[in-house]
Amino acid sequence: MEQADQQGSIIGVDVGGTFTDLVMVDMATGQMRIAKTPTTLDNQAFGVLAALDQADVDLGAVRLIVHGTTTTTNAVLERKLARTGLITTQGFRDVLELGRRTRPQPYGMTGKFTPVIPRDLRIEIPERMDAQGQVVTPLDAAALRRALDGLMAAGCEALVIHFLHAYANPAHELRAARIAAEVWPNTHITTGHSLLSESREFERGVTAAVNAGVQPLLERYVARLRDELAARGYEGDVLVMNGNGGMVSSRLVAREAAKTVMSGPASGVMAAAYTGRRASEPNLLTYDMGGTSTDVALIRGGTPPVSNEIEVEYAMPIHVPMVDVRTVGAGGGSIARVTAAGLLEVGPESAGADPGPICYGKGGTRPTISDANMLLGRLNTDKLNAVAGGVGMDDLAAIFKRDLGAPLGVDGHGAAEAVIRMANARMAGAIRMVSLSLGADPRDFALFAFGGAGPLHAAALARELAVPRVLIPARPGITNALGCAVADLRHDFVQTVNQPLDDLDLPALHAAFAMQLEQGHAALAREKVTVQSVEHHFSADMQFQGQSHVVRVPLAGKSPSAQVLQDAFQKVYWDRFRVDLPQIRARVVNVNCSVIGVCAPVDLSLLIDAAGRLAQATPSGRRAVWFDGAPQDTPVYWRDHLPLDVVLEGPAIIEQLDCTTLIPPGDRVKGGVDGNLTIHIGAAQ
């Protein structure tokens, strides 16, 4: 492949629930700039522009902007979707509600569920394919046109065409889409098979419905952002992070808008993998704690896992390839309260950026995790923003005692410590979910802590999980934005095979891989972004006969034999479940191919200016920090001044522009490659 152009700057920008982060890398000089501004929820483009202004960016000299967005994620979670209609096979309009016959609360009889598309906008028409792709009932074109007229009259902006067994034969969906295009007022038409060519009509239908529902929103947002950037002199393209950790042009991204769900969390995981490879830490448990939520993921061998079976929330499976990230509602802004039963509860409700926690000084009145850290001395009280709002440390302690301590029978500091312990327990549970549930022992991994609040809690979490060390990157608070800057182009493809291994049509399987490979290279060519090389990753989703769920089986090439498939499946199954079932035959459900355009590397050592480092670690101050119910006199260091090979023993506080790192008593921190810090748990004892 042609060598990537190194001239001009690359900007990575990530829009989170609380803050918008930006990092700019000048590929010619190696210089970097960073910025952090509040997210403007009503129009995220304003927050992006504010971050550009804060970093004093000359857009005329910028070659590429890569953007991670929460536009689609928030729209899905809050059900703020475009009005969408569904046309489906007669008798199957309720598939989106029936789902898999699960309950919102597995052990309760209460709960609520709102389908992506309301029932009155789901219309059935006569047509039917069988599971082999044979026509059972021809498509009724007249009924289709009546359905289209009805949905347009109902004010639908987007359309889903989702027919039974279209993965086996999409002829009816394709014909229906052509007819719809003649009358539908825009291009927001999604066919079920085009996004997800696999069985499971519920998952395929939900994925298509989500895509259609967010398509107009994403298209309007990226168009508005491109126009604003162009007005400021930017002539390049805007690439948008997909949930699979790759990038796609903003001019193409709306076609498959569902793939941008989990865009923000994916960018952080990609940055973690990139940082870990450079630091010789290929096995990581990533832990991203922001202002609203915490995202966790598992990285093995320097490669984040990509799954086709992510469920964003209850009954919301989006079966397009996405980095396997799990989220819990515990962030710096998570609100703590005592329930009517007298139990302490932390999150998922968040104070957000406005008014935010009490310590923001913007009118917040309810105690949060950030306020607990402030009260315990873990955050810089000299920069307590609440002073401007008339709230001091004594007031903060009084609020914690009144709202939390009194019902729990402790003082304000005791209540703050309880809040931290409760939050840590929730986050540790999420990390166990992505490790132990996948057959991975946390002790074999390092904890990669980032986000504005992650390094404050990382050491305590590592001790809870028996993880031996914590890796803190140079700029934890802007890691998601950095992930956008270091990401590669990526396109993923899936095709249903659904054949027993003993009867597998190998030539057809090999042909499917070859077609996916061709489609991937064509997609890279459309991006018009020069890459250094192209990588191919092949895999198969397999199961034992009679199972309903699959496991992902990596393959070395695009032409595996039946024996290679069987051996690889048995190995993956054993590694995951420690079960060997040679008497039960395997089945190939799907074949997958990922085509990755590798972009130019970014030198992470430039994230902290070497000129600012001192010959030895010198505290910038000291303050009382609470540990286990008592304050301890603790040195405070400014990270940008620490020697590259620094060694410190806890307790210690390390502050920097974008976050604060806590080193508890008994732990030791060492400097390393690219300015990373590694906390060795219990090493100082």
Side-chain angles (χ1 to χ4, degrees):
M1 297 295 293
E2 181 183 355
Q3 180 71 25
D5 181 11
Q6 299 294 307
Q7 300 304 309
S9 300
I10 295 177
I11 289 177
V13 58
D14 175 72
V15 179
T18 306
F19 291 104
T20 294
D21 303 324
L22 178 145
V23 58
M24 185 179 77
V25 183
D26 189 322
M27 302 300 289
T29 65
Q31 294 181 334
M32 293 192 181
R33 298 180 191 177
I34 61 175
K36 181 181 284 287
T37 61
T39 293
T40 49
L41 297 177
D42 55 334
N43 186 344
Q44 295 182 2
F46 294 151
V48 175
L49 297 173
L52 291 168
D53 291 337
Q54 188 183 102
D56 194 22
V57 173
D58 177 10
L59 284 170
V62 174
R63 174 167 62 88
L64 186 64
I65 295 176
V66 184
H67 182 20
T69 178
T70 57
T71 297
T72 53
T73 309
N74 293 343
V76 171
L77 296 178
E78 298 171 14
R79 294 294 198 276
K80 295 179 179 178
L81 304 167
R83 190 168 178 81
T84 303
L86 170 72
I87 296 176
T88 190
T89 306
Q90 193 167 38
F92 288 86
R93 71 186 295 195
D94 293 321
V95 163
L96 296 188
E97 279 186 83
L98 294 173
R100 293 295 169 194
R101 296 173 62 191
T102 57
R103 297 191 296 269
Q105 300 180 34
Y107 301 103
M109 299 302 293
T110 61
K112 61 180 182 179
F113 166 63
T114 304
V116 180
I117 301 174
R119 194 169 194 269
D120 64 311
L121 299 180
R122 305 193 301 261
I123 301 178
E124 302 172 348
I125 65 170
E127 77 80 39
R128 186 72 177 265
M129 294 280 183
D130 64 17
Q132 287 70 48
Q134 301 299 312
V135 177
V136 177
T137 303
L139 175 67
D140 190 330
L144 171 65
R145 290 187 173 91
R146 289 193 298 271
L148 290 168
D149 290 341
L151 292 175
M152 287 187 291
C156 290
E157 186 178 5
L159 173 67
V160 178
I161 299 172
H162 172 51
F163 294 151
L164 197 66
H165 301 308
Y167 65 91
N169 183 353
H172 283 181
E173 283 194 355
L174 291 171
R175 185 185 173 203
R178 289 194 297 269
I179 294 172
E182 297 173 1
V183 297
W184 201 256
N186 54 52
T187 60
H188 302 147
I189 301 173
T190 300
T191 56
H193 81 278
S194 61
L195 275 174
L196 186 63
S197 188
E198 68 174 45
S199 57
R200 300 184 184 179
E201 70 278 6
F202 169 60
E203 288 80 1
R204 192 170 67 256
V206 171
T207 302
V210 167
N211 188 80
V214 301
Q215 195 175 50
L217 308 177
L218 182 63
E219 186 172 78
R220 285 194 289 268
Y221 169 67
V222 296
R224 186 166 56 240
L225 180 61
R226 282 199 309 267
D227 291 342
E228 294 281 358
L229 294 172
R232 295 187 174 206
Y234 180 59
E235 298 179 352
D237 195 6
V238 177
L239 300 185
V240 180
M241 283 290 298
N242 271 342
N244 63 3
M247 305 178 291
V248 65
S249 170
S250 63
R251 301 182 186 279
L252 305 172
V253 69
R255 297 179 185 178
E256 298 181 338
K259 292 184 177 181
T260 65
V261 176
M262 304 301 289
S263 162
S267 63
V269 178
M270 301 310 295
Y274 187 86
T275 305
R277 291 194 297 268
R278 289 176 58 95
S280 300
E281 287 278 10
N283 299 322
L284 297 170
L285 293 166
T286 72
Y287 160 58
D288 174 13
M289 184 178 179
T292 305
S293 61
T294 294
D295 302 315
V296 299
L298 179 143
I299 298 173
R300 297 193 209 203
T303 303
V306 174
S307 173
N308 289 4
E309 298 195 359
I310 300 296
E311 189 164 291
V312 177
E313 63 173 17
Y314 170 74
M316 188 59 68
I318 303 179
H319 281 205
V320 294
M322 290 189 285
V323 174
D324 194 356
V325 178
R326 313 294 173 91
T327 301
V328 294
S334 294
I335 294 171
R337 67 185 185 94
V338 177
T339 68
L343 301 176
L344 178 64
E345 187 173 84
V346 180
E349 185 182 1
S350 175
D354 189 11
I358 300 170
C359 60
Y360 281 16
K362 296 181 177 181
T365 59
R366 303 173 68 184
T368 67
I369 294 175
S370 290
D371 296 318
N373 280 313
M374 181 71 73
L375 185 58
L376 296 173
R378 300 175 180 190
L379 295 175
N380 193 340
T381 54
D382 294 335
K383 298 180 180 179
L384 179 61
N385 294 331
V387 172
V391 181
M393 290 297 294
D394 291 341
D395 299 306
L396 198 60
I399 292 171
F400 267 79
K401 183 177 181 178
R402 181 196 67 204
D403 293 356
L404 304 176
L408 297 174
V410 296
D411 61 11
H413 289 89
E417 286 196 287
V419 169
I420 299 299
R421 286 195 299 271
M422 178 64 69
N424 288 345
R426 290 194 65 191
M427 292 181 287
I431 295 173
R432 290 189 181 97
M433 186 167 56
V434 300
S435 56
L436 295 173
S437 66
L438 299 176
D441 189 336
R443 294 173 296 183
D444 298 332
F445 294 76
L447 185 65
F448 186 93
F450 62 107
L456 269 176
H457 298 254
L461 282 180
R463 185 169 275 105
E464 172 80 13
L465 296 163
V467 172
R469 60 195 177 278
V470 178
L471 183 64
I472 310 289
R475 297 294 182 188
I478 54 98
T479 298
N480 286 63
L482 181 64
C484 295
V486 304
D488 298 317
L489 299 174
R490 177 168 179 147
H491 296 276
D492 297 288
F493 304 90
V494 58
Q495 175 66 50
T496 290
V497 175
N498 202 21
Q499 294 177 0
L501 189 57
D502 292 340
D503 301 322
L504 183 63
D505 186 344
L506 278 174
L509 182 141
H510 298 162
F513 274 134
M515 181 177 293
Q516 291 174 335
L517 198 60
E518 182 181 346
Q519 292 173 333
H521 280 269
L524 287 181
R526 290 194 298 270
E527 301 287 359
K528 298 181 179 179
V529 176
T530 307
V531 298
Q532 290 193 324
S533 61
V534 177
E535 296 179 356
H536 312 122
H537 299 284
F538 304 95
S539 64
D541 295 328
M542 300 181 65
Q543 61 186 194
F544 284 116
Q545 292 276 22
Q547 289 185 318
S548 58
H549 295 281
V550 300
V551 294
R552 178 66 56 87
V553 179
L555 300 172
K558 62 179 179 180
S559 303
S561 66
Q563 190 60 50
V564 166
L565 288 165
Q566 178 69 29
D567 293 345
F569 172 63
Q570 288 181 324
K571 182 181 184 304
V572 169
Y573 205 90
W574 174 262
D575 291 342
R576 174 81 179 269
F577 302 106
R578 288 296 188 266
V579 173
D580 187 18
L581 302 171
Q583 69 277 16
I584 305 178
R585 302 305 297 167
R587 188 178 190 90
V588 180
V589 180
N590 305 308
V591 293
N592 315 286
C593 175
S594 300
V595 180
I596 302 171
V598 180
C599 297
V602 174
D603 186 1
L604 301 185
S605 66
L606 303 170
L607 285 168
I608 296 179
D609 188 358
R613 296 188 180 277
L614 303 178
Q616 62 182 23
T618 304
S620 57
R622 307 185 72 89
R623 64 173 179 259
V625 181
W626 289 69
F627 299 97
D628 297 325
Q632 293 193 38
D633 184 52
T634 302
V636 181
Y637 301 87
W638 186 251
R639 183 167 184 177
D640 291 27
H641 296 167
L642 293 176
L644 193 61
D645 58 351
V646 66
V647 178
L648 299 172
E649 294 191 359
I653 295 285
I654 301 174
E655 296 179 342
Q656 59 189 106
L657 177 66
D658 51 313
C659 81
T660 298
T661 300
L662 176 69
I663 316 299
D667 296 342
R668 178 180 295 136
V669 63
K670 295 182 178 181
V673 174
D674 293 332
N676 301 321
L677 296 175
T678 301
I679 305 174
H680 297 270
I681 306 301
Q685 296 178 343

